[in-house]
Amino acid sequence: MAKFIIEKTGPLVGEVSISGAKNAVLPILAATILTDEPCEINDVPLLSDVDVMCRILRCVGAKVDVDEKEHTIVVDAKGINSSEIPYDLVKMMRASIFTMGPLIARTGHANMALPGGCSIGSRPIDLHNKGLRMLGAKITVDEFSVDAYAPKLKGSLVYLDFPSVGATENIMMAASLAEGYTTIENAAEEPEIVDLANFLNKMGAKIKGAGTDSIRIEGVKKLHGTRHAVIPDRIETGTFMVAAAISRGDVLIKNALPDHVRPVIAKLLECGATVNDEVDGLRVRGDINRLVATDIKTLPYPGFPTDMQAPFMSLLTTVRGTSTIIETIFENRLQLAGELSRMGANIRVDGNMAIVPGDKRPLHGANVMATDLRAGAALVLAGLVAEGHTEVSDIYHIERGYENFADKLNSLGANVKRVE
Ligand code: EPZ
């Protein structure tokens, strides 16, 4: 299994470009199932999760051409000839569930292994099933798989008990080809939802309100092919903003969209970092003021993103004063605390709260393990400033969601080596 070896380095300095958003490109690739015409997706990040989604599309009969040099994928789903997603693909990526809505809408049927949980939580799909049932799908779930059958989908009012990102996306995709109107109340508002809605509307869908908690969809008979460039990844943006702060460096994050990272900007400013919106990106400096504690509470967008909680936990172990972190989205997403404590951080976890003592105890290198992609990235950031060297294992988690993570950090002056 590959691992990263990180030497303590000085401040990161320079500029870095952000790749396309993983959590936008995955539902957008699933949405190409909705049409029998080719779709071209640009600014695609080269990630293992994207590879798995391409394998899933091929498995149901779509033609998928990937041009890695151009970061472009062309999907031609004319030849869809199956609606079954095998377990070995679903177990590699929970986001396979995003193909359920499009498969039902296009073929009237979908069958896939249950995505199952992961280290951050049980990851149920009850809200996906509730929404698709409201549109007329007959869904049966046994202990291993979910089977959905819908000869015809009819628009409906769907209230989401929790603003689930995936459920909002699945329902929006299915409703695009349902008969009549669908309204999703208490919908998720993430920028990736807006990017998916923009893609669907370019295919001929009629979606209004994406980015708010109420999305209206007027079903259409057919969707056509289109071309779309994916938005930059706001979580990769936030990760490099934190890398600049934790290393007390000065980094220009190019093609970052400030509006997508407002809570991250606010919390970095509270810690004493500076963030300037410059012509070609966001400049983050951690070398001007002494950095101090702040408190974090994760919430659905536009609140502080749960995917940025782990990188901030690493940062907060290096600042003056004690911080608190409350995780409200996933039931088990504070595991990074244990790994950082092995590096000397001495973080106390009580339920969904972590108490993070500041820099009274500087971090020292250790052998640690990535438990999910964001905690893995956070351990690399901690390794940049820990005395000695740090080994992060199970880095396949990181490579699911960060394109060329080590190369990008090293281009800023870090010393991160990938070894098998
Ligand atoms: C998406 O996951 C992202 N993944 C996650 O990013 C992100 O952390 C999450 O949204 C929250 O922002 C992708 O977009 C591929 P949810 P998703 O449905 O859709 C509960 C990363 O690091 N829930 O909004 O699975 C669920 O248990 C990944 O890039 C139900 O109860 O998130 C969780 O507690 C990690 N029933 C909460 O909602 C359901 O049917 C948020 O889940 C669905 C969800």
PDB file of all heavy atoms in Angstrom, residues 30-38 60-62 75-83 99-110 150-151 153 173-174 177-178 203 221-223:
ATOM      1  N   ALA A  30     -22.896  11.061 -13.808  1.00  0.00           N
ATOM      2  CA  ALA A  30     -24.086  10.200 -13.690  1.00  0.00           C
ATOM      3  C   ALA A  30     -25.224  10.761 -14.543  1.00  0.00           C
ATOM      4  O   ALA A  30     -25.963  10.009 -15.188  1.00  0.00           O
ATOM      5  CB  ALA A  30     -24.513  10.119 -12.224  1.00  0.00           C
ATOM      6  N   ALA A  31     -25.340  12.074 -14.608  1.00  0.00           N
ATOM      7  CA  ALA A  31     -26.450  12.703 -15.354  1.00  0.00           C
ATOM      8  C   ALA A  31     -26.338  12.481 -16.859  1.00  0.00           C
ATOM      9  O   ALA A  31     -27.347  12.579 -17.577  1.00  0.00           O
ATOM     10  CB  ALA A  31     -26.486  14.205 -15.055  1.00  0.00           C
ATOM     11  N   THR A  32     -25.162  12.100 -17.361  1.00  0.00           N
ATOM     12  CA  THR A  32     -25.042  11.869 -18.818  1.00  0.00           C
ATOM     13  C   THR A  32     -25.876  10.653 -19.243  1.00  0.00           C
ATOM     14  O   THR A  32     -26.200  10.503 -20.421  1.00  0.00           O
ATOM     15  CB  THR A  32     -23.573  11.621 -19.226  1.00  0.00           C
ATOM     16  OG1 THR A  32     -23.093  10.442 -18.545  1.00  0.00           O
ATOM     17  CG2 THR A  32     -22.684  12.813 -18.871  1.00  0.00           C
ATOM     18  N   ILE A  33     -26.267   9.829 -18.261  1.00  0.00           N
ATOM     19  CA  ILE A  33     -27.118   8.657 -18.560  1.00  0.00           C
ATOM     20  C   ILE A  33     -28.492   9.113 -19.061  1.00  0.00           C
ATOM     21  O   ILE A  33     -29.177   8.400 -19.785  1.00  0.00           O
ATOM     22  CB  ILE A  33     -27.285   7.794 -17.271  1.00  0.00           C
ATOM     23  CG1 ILE A  33     -25.970   7.105 -16.902  1.00  0.00           C
ATOM     24  CG2 ILE A  33     -28.414   6.792 -17.395  1.00  0.00           C
ATOM     25  CD1 ILE A  33     -26.001   6.414 -15.543  1.00  0.00           C
ATOM     26  N   LEU A  34     -28.865  10.357 -18.729  1.00  0.00           N
ATOM     27  CA  LEU A  34     -30.225  10.837 -19.005  1.00  0.00           C
ATOM     28  C   LEU A  34     -30.483  11.120 -20.490  1.00  0.00           C
ATOM     29  O   LEU A  34     -31.612  11.394 -20.883  1.00  0.00           O
ATOM     30  CB  LEU A  34     -30.503  12.110 -18.192  1.00  0.00           C
ATOM     31  CG  LEU A  34     -30.611  11.921 -16.672  1.00  0.00           C
ATOM     32  CD1 LEU A  34     -30.515  13.261 -15.962  1.00  0.00           C
ATOM     33  CD2 LEU A  34     -31.919  11.216 -16.313  1.00  0.00           C
ATOM     34  N   THR A  35     -29.414  11.109 -21.318  1.00  0.00           N
ATOM     35  CA  THR A  35     -29.628  11.432 -22.734  1.00  0.00           C
ATOM     36  C   THR A  35     -28.948  10.393 -23.633  1.00  0.00           C
ATOM     37  O   THR A  35     -27.995   9.748 -23.221  1.00  0.00           O
ATOM     38  CB  THR A  35     -29.058  12.835 -23.079  1.00  0.00           C
ATOM     39  OG1 THR A  35     -29.217  13.067 -24.483  1.00  0.00           O
ATOM     40  CG2 THR A  35     -27.569  12.929 -22.740  1.00  0.00           C
ATOM     41  N   ASP A  36     -29.480  10.268 -24.860  1.00  0.00           N
ATOM     42  CA  ASP A  36     -28.840   9.324 -25.806  1.00  0.00           C
ATOM     43  C   ASP A  36     -27.903  10.083 -26.738  1.00  0.00           C
ATOM     44  O   ASP A  36     -27.473   9.560 -27.761  1.00  0.00           O
ATOM     45  CB  ASP A  36     -29.897   8.548 -26.603  1.00  0.00           C
ATOM     46  CG  ASP A  36     -30.836   9.483 -27.384  1.00  0.00           C
ATOM     47  OD1 ASP A  36     -30.585  10.719 -27.352  1.00  0.00           O
ATOM     48  OD2 ASP A  36     -31.793   8.975 -27.988  1.00  0.00           O
ATOM     49  N   GLU A  37     -27.588  11.332 -26.360  1.00  0.00           N
ATOM     50  CA  GLU A  37     -26.644  12.105 -27.175  1.00  0.00           C
ATOM     51  C   GLU A  37     -25.345  12.312 -26.385  1.00  0.00           C
ATOM     52  O   GLU A  37     -25.365  12.323 -25.154  1.00  0.00           O
ATOM     53  CB  GLU A  37     -27.268  13.466 -27.537  1.00  0.00           C
ATOM     54  CG  GLU A  37     -28.528  13.332 -28.397  1.00  0.00           C
ATOM     55  CD  GLU A  37     -29.133  14.698 -28.715  1.00  0.00           C
ATOM     56  OE1 GLU A  37     -28.465  15.725 -28.425  1.00  0.00           O
ATOM     57  OE2 GLU A  37     -30.264  14.732 -29.216  1.00  0.00           O
ATOM     58  N   PRO A  38     -24.224  12.525 -27.093  1.00  0.00           N
ATOM     59  CA  PRO A  38     -22.946  12.662 -26.393  1.00  0.00           C
ATOM     60  C   PRO A  38     -22.866  13.939 -25.555  1.00  0.00           C
ATOM     61  O   PRO A  38     -23.431  14.967 -25.924  1.00  0.00           O
ATOM     62  CB  PRO A  38     -21.911  12.702 -27.521  1.00  0.00           C
ATOM     63  CG  PRO A  38     -22.610  12.355 -28.766  1.00  0.00           C
ATOM     64  CD  PRO A  38     -24.078  12.573 -28.566  1.00  0.00           C
ATOM     65  N   VAL A  60     -22.920  -0.035 -17.670  1.00  0.00           N
ATOM     66  CA  VAL A  60     -24.346  -0.021 -18.085  1.00  0.00           C
ATOM     67  C   VAL A  60     -24.480   0.223 -19.581  1.00  0.00           C
ATOM     68  O   VAL A  60     -25.598   0.358 -20.092  1.00  0.00           O
ATOM     69  CB  VAL A  60     -25.166   1.024 -17.282  1.00  0.00           C
ATOM     70  CG1 VAL A  60     -25.200   0.658 -15.805  1.00  0.00           C
ATOM     71  CG2 VAL A  60     -24.650   2.447 -17.490  1.00  0.00           C
ATOM     72  N   GLY A  61     -23.338   0.273 -20.297  1.00  0.00           N
ATOM     73  CA  GLY A  61     -23.405   0.310 -21.757  1.00  0.00           C
ATOM     74  C   GLY A  61     -23.061   1.631 -22.406  1.00  0.00           C
ATOM     75  O   GLY A  61     -23.165   1.780 -23.627  1.00  0.00           O
ATOM     76  N   ALA A  62     -22.638   2.611 -21.600  1.00  0.00           N
ATOM     77  CA  ALA A  62     -22.271   3.906 -22.206  1.00  0.00           C
ATOM     78  C   ALA A  62     -20.852   3.810 -22.771  1.00  0.00           C
ATOM     79  O   ALA A  62     -20.042   3.011 -22.299  1.00  0.00           O
ATOM     80  CB  ALA A  62     -22.340   5.009 -21.153  1.00  0.00           C
ATOM     81  N   VAL A  75     -18.978  11.320 -22.844  1.00  0.00           N
ATOM     82  CA  VAL A  75     -19.834  10.155 -22.558  1.00  0.00           C
ATOM     83  C   VAL A  75     -20.936  10.097 -23.609  1.00  0.00           C
ATOM     84  O   VAL A  75     -21.624  11.088 -23.851  1.00  0.00           O
ATOM     85  CB  VAL A  75     -20.491  10.258 -21.155  1.00  0.00           C
ATOM     86  CG1 VAL A  75     -21.357   9.014 -20.898  1.00  0.00           C
ATOM     87  CG2 VAL A  75     -19.431  10.402 -20.062  1.00  0.00           C
ATOM     88  N   ASP A  76     -21.075   8.912 -24.237  1.00  0.00           N
ATOM     89  CA  ASP A  76     -22.176   8.707 -25.187  1.00  0.00           C
ATOM     90  C   ASP A  76     -23.022   7.563 -24.641  1.00  0.00           C
ATOM     91  O   ASP A  76     -22.625   6.397 -24.711  1.00  0.00           O
ATOM     92  CB  ASP A  76     -21.611   8.365 -26.570  1.00  0.00           C
ATOM     93  CG  ASP A  76     -22.752   8.184 -27.581  1.00  0.00           C
ATOM     94  OD1 ASP A  76     -23.921   8.094 -27.128  1.00  0.00           O
ATOM     95  OD2 ASP A  76     -22.476   8.134 -28.786  1.00  0.00           O
ATOM     96  N   ALA A  77     -24.162   7.907 -24.060  1.00  0.00           N
ATOM     97  CA  ALA A  77     -24.989   6.901 -23.364  1.00  0.00           C
ATOM     98  C   ALA A  77     -26.100   6.381 -24.261  1.00  0.00           C
ATOM     99  O   ALA A  77     -27.118   5.866 -23.781  1.00  0.00           O
ATOM    100  CB  ALA A  77     -25.573   7.510 -22.089  1.00  0.00           C
ATOM    101  N   LYS A  78     -25.880   6.514 -25.590  1.00  0.00           N
ATOM    102  CA  LYS A  78     -26.917   6.012 -26.537  1.00  0.00           C
ATOM    103  C   LYS A  78     -27.147   4.516 -26.302  1.00  0.00           C
ATOM    104  O   LYS A  78     -28.267   4.059 -26.258  1.00  0.00           O
ATOM    105  CB  LYS A  78     -26.426   6.272 -27.967  1.00  0.00           C
ATOM    106  CG  LYS A  78     -27.421   5.908 -29.035  1.00  0.00           C
ATOM    107  CD  LYS A  78     -27.117   6.431 -30.424  1.00  0.00           C
ATOM    108  CE  LYS A  78     -25.762   6.021 -31.028  1.00  0.00           C
ATOM    109  NZ  LYS A  78     -24.615   6.739 -30.612  1.00  0.00           N
ATOM    110  N   GLY A  79     -26.044   3.799 -26.076  1.00  0.00           N
ATOM    111  CA  GLY A  79     -26.160   2.335 -26.035  1.00  0.00           C
ATOM    112  C   GLY A  79     -26.418   1.755 -24.663  1.00  0.00           C
ATOM    113  O   GLY A  79     -26.026   0.613 -24.388  1.00  0.00           O
ATOM    114  N   ILE A  80     -27.101   2.504 -23.789  1.00  0.00           N
ATOM    115  CA  ILE A  80     -27.394   1.964 -22.440  1.00  0.00           C
ATOM    116  C   ILE A  80     -28.127   0.627 -22.591  1.00  0.00           C
ATOM    117  O   ILE A  80     -29.140   0.544 -23.281  1.00  0.00           O
ATOM    118  CB  ILE A  80     -28.285   2.938 -21.638  1.00  0.00           C
ATOM    119  CG1 ILE A  80     -27.504   4.199 -21.307  1.00  0.00           C
ATOM    120  CG2 ILE A  80     -28.807   2.285 -20.368  1.00  0.00           C
ATOM    121  CD1 ILE A  80     -26.596   4.122 -20.114  1.00  0.00           C
ATOM    122  N   ASN A  81     -27.540  -0.431 -21.997  1.00  0.00           N
ATOM    123  CA  ASN A  81     -28.171  -1.762 -22.176  1.00  0.00           C
ATOM    124  C   ASN A  81     -28.298  -2.512 -20.855  1.00  0.00           C
ATOM    125  O   ASN A  81     -28.552  -3.705 -20.834  1.00  0.00           O
ATOM    126  CB  ASN A  81     -27.336  -2.589 -23.159  1.00  0.00           C
ATOM    127  CG  ASN A  81     -25.877  -2.657 -22.696  1.00  0.00           C
ATOM    128  OD1 ASN A  81     -25.600  -2.436 -21.491  1.00  0.00           O
ATOM    129  ND2 ASN A  81     -24.964  -2.924 -23.602  1.00  0.00           N
ATOM    130  N   SER A  82     -28.078  -1.810 -19.752  1.00  0.00           N
ATOM    131  CA  SER A  82     -28.232  -2.473 -18.453  1.00  0.00           C
ATOM    132  C   SER A  82     -28.528  -1.406 -17.411  1.00  0.00           C
ATOM    133  O   SER A  82     -28.234  -0.231 -17.608  1.00  0.00           O
ATOM    134  CB  SER A  82     -26.926  -3.204 -18.077  1.00  0.00           C
ATOM    135  OG  SER A  82     -26.938  -3.478 -16.679  1.00  0.00           O
ATOM    136  N   SER A  83     -29.128  -1.850 -16.316  1.00  0.00           N
ATOM    137  CA  SER A  83     -29.364  -0.892 -15.221  1.00  0.00           C
ATOM    138  C   SER A  83     -28.904  -1.522 -13.910  1.00  0.00           C
ATOM    139  O   SER A  83     -29.401  -1.192 -12.843  1.00  0.00           O
ATOM    140  CB  SER A  83     -30.848  -0.538 -15.162  1.00  0.00           C
ATOM    141  OG  SER A  83     -31.591  -1.741 -15.076  1.00  0.00           O
ATOM    142  N   THR A  99     -26.211   7.202  -9.636  1.00  0.00           N
ATOM    143  CA  THR A  99     -26.691   6.706 -10.944  1.00  0.00           C
ATOM    144  C   THR A  99     -28.109   6.159 -10.828  1.00  0.00           C
ATOM    145  O   THR A  99     -28.752   5.891 -11.847  1.00  0.00           O
ATOM    146  CB  THR A  99     -25.780   5.570 -11.462  1.00  0.00           C
ATOM    147  OG1 THR A  99     -25.736   4.522 -10.475  1.00  0.00           O
ATOM    148  CG2 THR A  99     -24.367   6.060 -11.722  1.00  0.00           C
ATOM    149  N   MET A 100     -28.626   6.043  -9.583  1.00  0.00           N
ATOM    150  CA  MET A 100     -29.956   5.424  -9.421  1.00  0.00           C
ATOM    151  C   MET A 100     -31.037   6.279 -10.086  1.00  0.00           C
ATOM    152  O   MET A 100     -31.805   5.789 -10.921  1.00  0.00           O
ATOM    153  CB  MET A 100     -30.273   5.206  -7.936  1.00  0.00           C
ATOM    154  CG  MET A 100     -31.477   4.306  -7.734  1.00  0.00           C
ATOM    155  SD  MET A 100     -31.460   3.518  -6.125  1.00  0.00           S
ATOM    156  CE  MET A 100     -32.098   4.831  -5.095  1.00  0.00           C
ATOM    157  N   GLY A 101     -31.062   7.564  -9.787  1.00  0.00           N
ATOM    158  CA  GLY A 101     -32.081   8.454 -10.367  1.00  0.00           C
ATOM    159  C   GLY A 101     -32.005   8.468 -11.879  1.00  0.00           C
ATOM    160  O   GLY A 101     -33.028   8.226 -12.557  1.00  0.00           O
ATOM    161  N   PRO A 102     -30.834   8.720 -12.463  1.00  0.00           N
ATOM    162  CA  PRO A 102     -30.727   8.737 -13.930  1.00  0.00           C
ATOM    163  C   PRO A 102     -31.110   7.400 -14.575  1.00  0.00           C
ATOM    164  O   PRO A 102     -31.808   7.366 -15.586  1.00  0.00           O
ATOM    165  CB  PRO A 102     -29.256   9.059 -14.176  1.00  0.00           C
ATOM    166  CG  PRO A 102     -28.816   9.801 -12.968  1.00  0.00           C
ATOM    167  CD  PRO A 102     -29.606   9.233 -11.829  1.00  0.00           C
ATOM    168  N   LEU A 103     -30.710   6.264 -13.955  1.00  0.00           N
ATOM    169  CA  LEU A 103     -31.049   4.956 -14.564  1.00  0.00           C
ATOM    170  C   LEU A 103     -32.561   4.732 -14.551  1.00  0.00           C
ATOM    171  O   LEU A 103     -33.146   4.285 -15.537  1.00  0.00           O
ATOM    172  CB  LEU A 103     -30.338   3.820 -13.819  1.00  0.00           C
ATOM    173  CG  LEU A 103     -28.873   3.625 -14.158  1.00  0.00           C
ATOM    174  CD1 LEU A 103     -28.232   2.612 -13.202  1.00  0.00           C
ATOM    175  CD2 LEU A 103     -28.694   3.169 -15.607  1.00  0.00           C
ATOM    176  N   ILE A 104     -33.200   5.112 -13.441  1.00  0.00           N
ATOM    177  CA  ILE A 104     -34.670   4.937 -13.374  1.00  0.00           C
ATOM    178  C   ILE A 104     -35.331   5.810 -14.428  1.00  0.00           C
ATOM    179  O   ILE A 104     -36.217   5.376 -15.171  1.00  0.00           O
ATOM    180  CB  ILE A 104     -35.195   5.361 -11.983  1.00  0.00           C
ATOM    181  CG1 ILE A 104     -34.601   4.503 -10.878  1.00  0.00           C
ATOM    182  CG2 ILE A 104     -36.706   5.310 -11.948  1.00  0.00           C
ATOM    183  CD1 ILE A 104     -34.989   4.981  -9.493  1.00  0.00           C
ATOM    184  N   ALA A 105     -34.868   7.040 -14.548  1.00  0.00           N
ATOM    185  CA  ALA A 105     -35.506   7.985 -15.483  1.00  0.00           C
ATOM    186  C   ALA A 105     -35.299   7.552 -16.931  1.00  0.00           C
ATOM    187  O   ALA A 105     -36.185   7.685 -17.772  1.00  0.00           O
ATOM    188  CB  ALA A 105     -34.926   9.378 -15.265  1.00  0.00           C
ATOM    189  N   ARG A 106     -34.120   6.992 -17.236  1.00  0.00           N
ATOM    190  CA  ARG A 106     -33.792   6.636 -18.628  1.00  0.00           C
ATOM    191  C   ARG A 106     -34.319   5.259 -18.998  1.00  0.00           C
ATOM    192  O   ARG A 106     -34.808   5.046 -20.095  1.00  0.00           O
ATOM    193  CB  ARG A 106     -32.277   6.711 -18.814  1.00  0.00           C
ATOM    194  CG  ARG A 106     -31.760   6.301 -20.168  1.00  0.00           C
ATOM    195  CD  ARG A 106     -31.913   7.365 -21.226  1.00  0.00           C
ATOM    196  NE  ARG A 106     -31.617   6.801 -22.547  1.00  0.00           N
ATOM    197  CZ  ARG A 106     -30.376   6.640 -23.021  1.00  0.00           C
ATOM    198  NH1 ARG A 106     -29.320   7.000 -22.264  1.00  0.00           N
ATOM    199  NH2 ARG A 106     -30.180   6.108 -24.213  1.00  0.00           N
ATOM    200  N   THR A 107     -34.186   4.262 -18.056  1.00  0.00           N
ATOM    201  CA  THR A 107     -34.502   2.869 -18.414  1.00  0.00           C
ATOM    202  C   THR A 107     -35.710   2.324 -17.654  1.00  0.00           C
ATOM    203  O   THR A 107     -36.191   1.255 -17.967  1.00  0.00           O
ATOM    204  CB  THR A 107     -33.314   1.936 -18.076  1.00  0.00           C
ATOM    205  OG1 THR A 107     -33.235   1.802 -16.628  1.00  0.00           O
ATOM    206  CG2 THR A 107     -31.991   2.471 -18.582  1.00  0.00           C
ATOM    207  N   GLY A 108     -36.170   3.024 -16.617  1.00  0.00           N
ATOM    208  CA  GLY A 108     -37.299   2.528 -15.817  1.00  0.00           C
ATOM    209  C   GLY A 108     -36.878   1.569 -14.727  1.00  0.00           C
ATOM    210  O   GLY A 108     -37.703   1.068 -13.965  1.00  0.00           O
ATOM    211  N   HIS A 109     -35.566   1.301 -14.604  1.00  0.00           N
ATOM    212  CA  HIS A 109     -35.123   0.312 -13.606  1.00  0.00           C
ATOM    213  C   HIS A 109     -33.716   0.654 -13.143  1.00  0.00           C
ATOM    214  O   HIS A 109     -32.926   1.260 -13.886  1.00  0.00           O
ATOM    215  CB  HIS A 109     -35.145  -1.092 -14.231  1.00  0.00           C
ATOM    216  CG  HIS A 109     -34.658  -2.151 -13.289  1.00  0.00           C
ATOM    217  ND1 HIS A 109     -33.534  -2.912 -13.538  1.00  0.00           N
ATOM    218  CD2 HIS A 109     -35.108  -2.522 -12.065  1.00  0.00           C
ATOM    219  CE1 HIS A 109     -33.344  -3.753 -12.529  1.00  0.00           C
ATOM    220  NE2 HIS A 109     -34.306  -3.526 -11.628  1.00  0.00           N
ATOM    221  N   ALA A 110     -33.414   0.273 -11.892  1.00  0.00           N
ATOM    222  CA  ALA A 110     -32.026   0.398 -11.389  1.00  0.00           C
ATOM    223  C   ALA A 110     -31.855  -0.665 -10.311  1.00  0.00           C
ATOM    224  O   ALA A 110     -32.784  -0.927  -9.532  1.00  0.00           O
ATOM    225  CB  ALA A 110     -31.773   1.781 -10.802  1.00  0.00           C
ATOM    226  N   ALA A 150     -39.564   1.782 -12.203  1.00  0.00           N
ATOM    227  CA  ALA A 150     -40.472   2.929 -12.414  1.00  0.00           C
ATOM    228  C   ALA A 150     -40.776   3.057 -13.895  1.00  0.00           C
ATOM    229  O   ALA A 150     -40.044   3.724 -14.624  1.00  0.00           O
ATOM    230  CB  ALA A 150     -39.804   4.196 -11.920  1.00  0.00           C
ATOM    231  N   PRO A 151     -41.837   2.365 -14.364  1.00  0.00           N
ATOM    232  CA  PRO A 151     -42.159   2.522 -15.793  1.00  0.00           C
ATOM    233  C   PRO A 151     -42.435   3.980 -16.164  1.00  0.00           C
ATOM    234  O   PRO A 151     -42.148   4.423 -17.261  1.00  0.00           O
ATOM    235  CB  PRO A 151     -43.409   1.658 -15.968  1.00  0.00           C
ATOM    236  CG  PRO A 151     -43.869   1.278 -14.605  1.00  0.00           C
ATOM    237  CD  PRO A 151     -42.772   1.537 -13.629  1.00  0.00           C
ATOM    238  N   LEU A 153     -42.330   8.112 -14.312  1.00  0.00           N
ATOM    239  CA  LEU A 153     -42.094   8.977 -13.149  1.00  0.00           C
ATOM    240  C   LEU A 153     -43.026  10.180 -13.257  1.00  0.00           C
ATOM    241  O   LEU A 153     -43.195  10.759 -14.332  1.00  0.00           O
ATOM    242  CB  LEU A 153     -40.642   9.448 -13.127  1.00  0.00           C
ATOM    243  CG  LEU A 153     -39.585   8.387 -12.790  1.00  0.00           C
ATOM    244  CD1 LEU A 153     -38.185   8.961 -12.958  1.00  0.00           C
ATOM    245  CD2 LEU A 153     -39.784   7.853 -11.373  1.00  0.00           C
ATOM    246  N   MET A 173     -32.197  14.842 -10.751  1.00  0.00           N
ATOM    247  CA  MET A 173     -31.912  14.175 -12.036  1.00  0.00           C
ATOM    248  C   MET A 173     -33.119  13.370 -12.491  1.00  0.00           C
ATOM    249  O   MET A 173     -33.538  13.461 -13.641  1.00  0.00           O
ATOM    250  CB  MET A 173     -30.661  13.283 -11.909  1.00  0.00           C
ATOM    251  CG  MET A 173     -29.382  14.084 -11.752  1.00  0.00           C
ATOM    252  SD  MET A 173     -27.882  13.075 -11.827  1.00  0.00           S
ATOM    253  CE  MET A 173     -27.767  12.472 -10.149  1.00  0.00           C
ATOM    254  N   ALA A 174     -33.734  12.615 -11.574  1.00  0.00           N
ATOM    255  CA  ALA A 174     -34.901  11.799 -11.965  1.00  0.00           C
ATOM    256  C   ALA A 174     -36.062  12.699 -12.360  1.00  0.00           C
ATOM    257  O   ALA A 174     -36.744  12.472 -13.375  1.00  0.00           O
ATOM    258  CB  ALA A 174     -35.290  10.887 -10.807  1.00  0.00           C
ATOM    259  N   LEU A 177     -36.829  14.231 -16.011  1.00  0.00           N
ATOM    260  CA  LEU A 177     -37.543  13.496 -17.079  1.00  0.00           C
ATOM    261  C   LEU A 177     -38.887  12.969 -16.595  1.00  0.00           C
ATOM    262  O   LEU A 177     -39.507  12.139 -17.266  1.00  0.00           O
ATOM    263  CB  LEU A 177     -36.681  12.331 -17.587  1.00  0.00           C
ATOM    264  CG  LEU A 177     -35.472  12.702 -18.465  1.00  0.00           C
ATOM    265  CD1 LEU A 177     -34.699  11.453 -18.878  1.00  0.00           C
ATOM    266  CD2 LEU A 177     -35.909  13.489 -19.694  1.00  0.00           C
ATOM    267  N   ALA A 178     -39.326  13.411 -15.396  1.00  0.00           N
ATOM    268  CA  ALA A 178     -40.644  12.949 -14.900  1.00  0.00           C
ATOM    269  C   ALA A 178     -41.730  13.785 -15.577  1.00  0.00           C
ATOM    270  O   ALA A 178     -41.460  14.857 -16.125  1.00  0.00           O
ATOM    271  CB  ALA A 178     -40.715  13.128 -13.387  1.00  0.00           C
ATOM    272  N   MET A 203     -28.760  20.693 -20.873  1.00  0.00           N
ATOM    273  CA  MET A 203     -29.231  19.495 -21.602  1.00  0.00           C
ATOM    274  C   MET A 203     -30.707  19.662 -21.989  1.00  0.00           C
ATOM    275  O   MET A 203     -31.285  18.786 -22.640  1.00  0.00           O
ATOM    276  CB  MET A 203     -29.097  18.239 -20.727  1.00  0.00           C
ATOM    277  CG  MET A 203     -27.678  17.833 -20.398  1.00  0.00           C
ATOM    278  SD  MET A 203     -27.671  16.538 -19.134  1.00  0.00           S
ATOM    279  CE  MET A 203     -28.060  15.096 -20.134  1.00  0.00           C
ATOM    280  N   LYS A 221     -39.683  15.829 -21.903  1.00  0.00           N
ATOM    281  CA  LYS A 221     -39.747  14.496 -22.510  1.00  0.00           C
ATOM    282  C   LYS A 221     -38.351  13.928 -22.782  1.00  0.00           C
ATOM    283  O   LYS A 221     -38.093  12.745 -22.626  1.00  0.00           O
ATOM    284  CB  LYS A 221     -40.512  14.576 -23.852  1.00  0.00           C
ATOM    285  CG  LYS A 221     -42.015  14.732 -23.718  1.00  0.00           C
ATOM    286  CD  LYS A 221     -42.788  13.799 -24.641  1.00  0.00           C
ATOM    287  CE  LYS A 221     -44.304  13.859 -24.424  1.00  0.00           C
ATOM    288  NZ  LYS A 221     -44.678  14.136 -23.012  1.00  0.00           N
ATOM    289  N   LYS A 222     -37.437  14.829 -23.165  1.00  0.00           N
ATOM    290  CA  LYS A 222     -36.138  14.332 -23.637  1.00  0.00           C
ATOM    291  C   LYS A 222     -35.047  15.348 -23.278  1.00  0.00           C
ATOM    292  O   LYS A 222     -35.309  16.545 -23.229  1.00  0.00           O
ATOM    293  CB  LYS A 222     -36.221  14.171 -25.178  1.00  0.00           C
ATOM    294  CG  LYS A 222     -35.149  13.294 -25.797  1.00  0.00           C
ATOM    295  CD  LYS A 222     -35.455  13.005 -27.265  1.00  0.00           C
ATOM    296  CE  LYS A 222     -34.288  12.475 -28.081  1.00  0.00           C
ATOM    297  NZ  LYS A 222     -33.052  12.204 -27.409  1.00  0.00           N
ATOM    298  N   LEU A 223     -33.870  14.865 -23.032  1.00  0.00           N
ATOM    299  CA  LEU A 223     -32.719  15.751 -22.806  1.00  0.00           C
ATOM    300  C   LEU A 223     -31.701  15.507 -23.916  1.00  0.00           C
ATOM    301  O   LEU A 223     -31.626  14.399 -24.459  1.00  0.00           O
ATOM    302  CB  LEU A 223     -32.099  15.467 -21.427  1.00  0.00           C
ATOM    303  CG  LEU A 223     -32.993  15.819 -20.233  1.00  0.00           C
ATOM    304  CD1 LEU A 223     -32.363  15.327 -18.934  1.00  0.00           C
ATOM    305  CD2 LEU A 223     -33.254  17.316 -20.162  1.00  0.00           C
TER     306      LEU A 223
END
